[in-house]
């Protein structure tokens, strides 16, 4: 198995020397391949608000959806799994960034807990696209994607590496391009490329800030480098880019925090498991009706038992979903910190809110330009499969039929 785990700098240097020695590919490789790019936290309206020549080029020359509607809760791991599997959260099982599961005692799923996120027990019902492709013998590669660091159904992408938030945008692109310098049969058919800077800036300074603007420009420059690299290798003919984001971002003023412990005074067994715009509680034997009645006193919070969640939220009961799930009013958030822990930008709200809408762009040779209606994050996988299974030499309608 080809892997770049923790050895990517040496591998990248060797690949660069090999490419310099042989020069650009002598003929274009039209084998269908897809590069799936995720710009975490990129809100749908950012494209019109922030200078980004590469992204605007992709939108003008390709297909742009009005929005990509995230699954609920609009969390990073939850929606990256929905995008790559086509499954809603209660099917793929990653129902939030933080989870408890009675079937996995003694371990809490948290993003910063490598032992937890690489435990296959959390991923047993997920079905990422790279699994089916690898089973068919088609190479895949991930420059980061939730789930790629663990064997799911006994399978991982051919190339992957542990998440490293310090790996720069240029380094991420160059690493991915180095994998395309291989002989044709070993080049990735599906590759993912993940950028977190826009999300980080949105959290720390709020959407629309100067920091968000700078992060978008940095990511835009990295995408330009990717396109130039594919073109210089003669690989642009067969490559389609799908650019998505897992969710948007909403401003949350420091004084619009709901203090969680006060809401459950008198119910000593109740424990909060989720915080933020989408929060949740485990009852541990306390009376559901009584707890819901107490929560109903908070006017900025809408709470339901997990078997009676609103259909519009799109989340169904699962062992990892807390007994009660709450959603704060837009611009409000639930916290357990009395002294305040300002997070100027947050996400997690249902996808019915425009602030949570993400981006969807489809670009490449044969993609007819034009707008698209808003679409669900669950629809992306079918587009990826269509793009990977088509051949413009044998099918004149490809890839026009891939939506």
């Amino acid at each position: 198995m080809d892997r770049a785990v923790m050895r990517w700098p040496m591998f990248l240097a060797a690949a660069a020397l090999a490419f310099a020695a042989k020069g650009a590919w002598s003929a274009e490789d039209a084998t269908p391949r897809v590069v799936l790019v995720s710009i975490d936290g990129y809100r749908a309206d950012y494209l019109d608000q922030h200078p980004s020549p590469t992204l605007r080029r992709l939108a003008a020359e390709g297909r742009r959806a009005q929005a990509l509607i995230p699954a609920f809760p609009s969390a990073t791991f939850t929606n990256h799994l929905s995008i790559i599997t086509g499954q809603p959260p209660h099917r793929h099982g990653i129902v939030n960034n933080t989870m408890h599961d009675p079937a996995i005692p003694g371990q809490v799923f948290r993003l910063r807990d490598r032992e937890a996120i690489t435990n296959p027990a959390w991923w047993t019902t997920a079905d990422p696209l790279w699994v089916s492709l690898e089973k068919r013998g088609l190479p895949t590669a991930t420059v980061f994607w939730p789930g790629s660091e663990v064997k799911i159904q006994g399978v991982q992408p051919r190339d992957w590496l542990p998440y490293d938030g310090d790996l720069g945008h240029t380094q991420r692109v160059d690493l991915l391009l180095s994998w395309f310098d291989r002989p044709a049969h070993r080049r990735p058919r599906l590759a993912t490329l993940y950028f977190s800077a826009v999300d980080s800036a949105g959290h720390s300074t709020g959407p629309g800030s100067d920091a968000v603007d700078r992060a978008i420009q940095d990511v835009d420059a990295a995408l330009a480098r990717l396109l130039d690299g594919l073109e210089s290798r003669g690989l642009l003919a067969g490559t389609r880019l799908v650019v998505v984001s897992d969710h948007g971002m909403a401003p949350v003023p420091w004084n619009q925090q709901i203090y969680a412990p006060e809401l459950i005074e008198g119910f000593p067994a109740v424990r909060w498991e989720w915080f933020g715009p989408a929060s949740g509680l485990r009852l541990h034997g306390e009376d559901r009706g009584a707890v819901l009645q107490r929560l109903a006193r908070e006017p900025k919070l809408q709470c339901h038992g997990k078997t009676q969640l609103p259909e519009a939220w799109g989340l169904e009961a699962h062992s990892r979903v807390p007994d009660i799930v709450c959603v704060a009013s837009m611009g409000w958030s639930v916290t357990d910190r009395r002294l305040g822990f300002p997070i100027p930008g947050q996400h997690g709200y249902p996808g019915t809110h425009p602030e949570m809408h993400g981006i969807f762009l489809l670009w490449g040779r044969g993609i007819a330009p034009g707008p698209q209606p808003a679409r669900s994050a669950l629809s992306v996988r079918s587009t990826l499969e269509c793009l990977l299974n088509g051949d413009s030499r044998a099918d004149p309608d490809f890839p026009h039929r891939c939506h």
Side-chain angles (χ1 to χ4, degrees):
M1 175 180 291
D2 298 310
R3 294 171 53 188
V5 181
M6 305 304 291
R7 298 189 302 274
W8 72 269
M10 292 182 291
F11 179 75
L12 181 56
L17 289 173
F19 182 72
K22 71 186 175 203
W25 299 101
S26 57
E28 286 196 343
D29 177 2
T31 302
R33 66 179 50 81
V34 173
V35 177
L36 174 62
V37 179
S38 171
I39 310 175
D40 197 331
Y42 190 104
R43 208 167 71 182
D45 58 1
Y46 283 176
L47 189 59
D48 301 313
Q49 297 176 355
H50 298 271
S52 44
T54 307
L55 283 166
R56 289 181 178 178
R57 172 195 167 188
L58 299 180
E61 296 178 0
R63 206 170 291 158
R64 175 189 181 184
Q66 181 182 1
L68 190 66
I69 311 299
F72 174 78
S74 48
T76 295
F77 266 47
T78 301
N79 275 279
H80 278 88
L81 260 290
S82 285
I83 287 168
I84 201 66
T85 65
Q87 299 171 298
H90 59 273
R91 297 293 185 195
H92 61 59
I94 308 301
V95 298
N96 209 333
N97 290 344
T98 301
M99 301 182 292
H100 295 72
D101 190 332
I104 311 175
Q107 188 174 68
V108 178
F109 186 97
R110 295 188 180 95
L111 302 193
R112 297 185 183 278
D113 186 340
R114 293 200 52 78
E115 183 178 351
I117 66 171
T118 57
N119 180 356
W122 292 99
W123 306 87
T124 55
T125 60
D127 184 28
L129 179 54
W130 63 71
V131 171
S132 61
L133 294 176
E134 289 287 350
K135 286 181 176 179
R136 291 164 50 193
L138 301 178
T140 63
T142 55
V143 182
F144 311 136
W145 199 275
S148 63
E149 299 180 41
V150 60
K151 288 188 176 182
I152 300 175
Q153 302 175 37
V155 178
Q156 280 180 277
R158 195 82 49 99
D159 294 286
W160 64 277
L161 67 164
Y163 182 68
D164 179 1
D166 294 328
L167 193 63
H169 295 158
T170 296
Q171 295 167 309
R172 298 182 191 201
V173 169
D174 288 350
L175 174 60
L176 180 58
L177 289 172
S178 75
W179 293 338
F180 284 119
D181 284 336
R182 297 170 176 163
H185 69 282
R186 295 181 59 215
R187 296 173 199 152
R189 292 289 300 277
L190 171 71
T192 71
L193 181 60
Y194 170 79
F195 299 108
S196 60
V198 175
D199 180 72
S200 298
H203 279 304
S204 60
T205 59
S209 65
D210 289 343
V212 168
D213 187 75
R214 290 191 296 272
I216 289 173
Q217 292 184 48
D218 289 345
V219 170
D220 195 77
L223 291 177
R225 186 179 185 89
L226 173 66
L227 292 176
D228 289 344
L230 290 170
E231 185 173 23
S232 70
R233 289 161 170 79
L235 299 177
L236 212 53
T239 303
R240 275 81 191 182
L241 260 64
V242 179
V243 181
V244 299
S245 55
D246 50 350
H247 53 71
M249 191 70 68
V252 177
W254 67 270
N255 59 348
Q256 293 188 182
Q257 308 288 334
I258 301 167
Y259 185 53
E262 286 184 348
L263 299 180
I264 55 171
E265 289 179 351
F267 300 98
V270 172
R271 295 291 181 270
W272 288 89
E273 288 190 359
W274 298 353
F275 294 97
S279 54
L281 313 88
R282 291 275 182 185
L283 295 172
H284 295 290
E286 299 281 5
D287 182 79
R288 183 191 308 268
V291 175
L292 284 170
Q293 188 175 24
R294 173 63 185 88
L295 293 170
R297 298 180 195 173
E298 171 50 60
K300 298 298 183 181
L301 206 58
Q302 180 185 2
C303 301
H304 300 272
K306 73 174 181 179
T307 60
Q308 298 174 319
L309 300 179
E311 186 177 349
W313 292 3
L315 180 66
E316 296 183 14
H318 188 285
S319 61
R320 299 172 187 173
V321 175
D323 298 317
I324 293 176
V325 178
C326 303
V327 171
S329 298
M330 178 53 63
W332 288 76
S333 183
V334 173
T335 180
D336 61 345
R337 293 175 170 87
R338 166 65 84 179
L339 299 179
F341 184 69
I343 303 178
Q346 297 190 39
H347 52 87
Y349 305 97
T352 50
H353 294 286
E355 294 89 344
M356 295 298 99
H357 291 177
I359 191 174
F360 177 89
L361 303 176
L362 174 58
W363 180 91
R365 183 174 293 185
I367 302 294
Q372 245 188 7
R375 57 186 293 166
S376 166
L378 277 63
S379 71
V380 176
R381 174 170 173 151
S382 64
T383 299
L384 300 175
E385 290 177 323
C386 180
L387 293 170
L388 288 165
N389 291 331
D391 188 336
S392 56
R393 294 164 294 186
D395 180 2
D397 194 39
F398 171 79
H400 305 294
R401 55 185 166 79
C402 299
H403 300 290

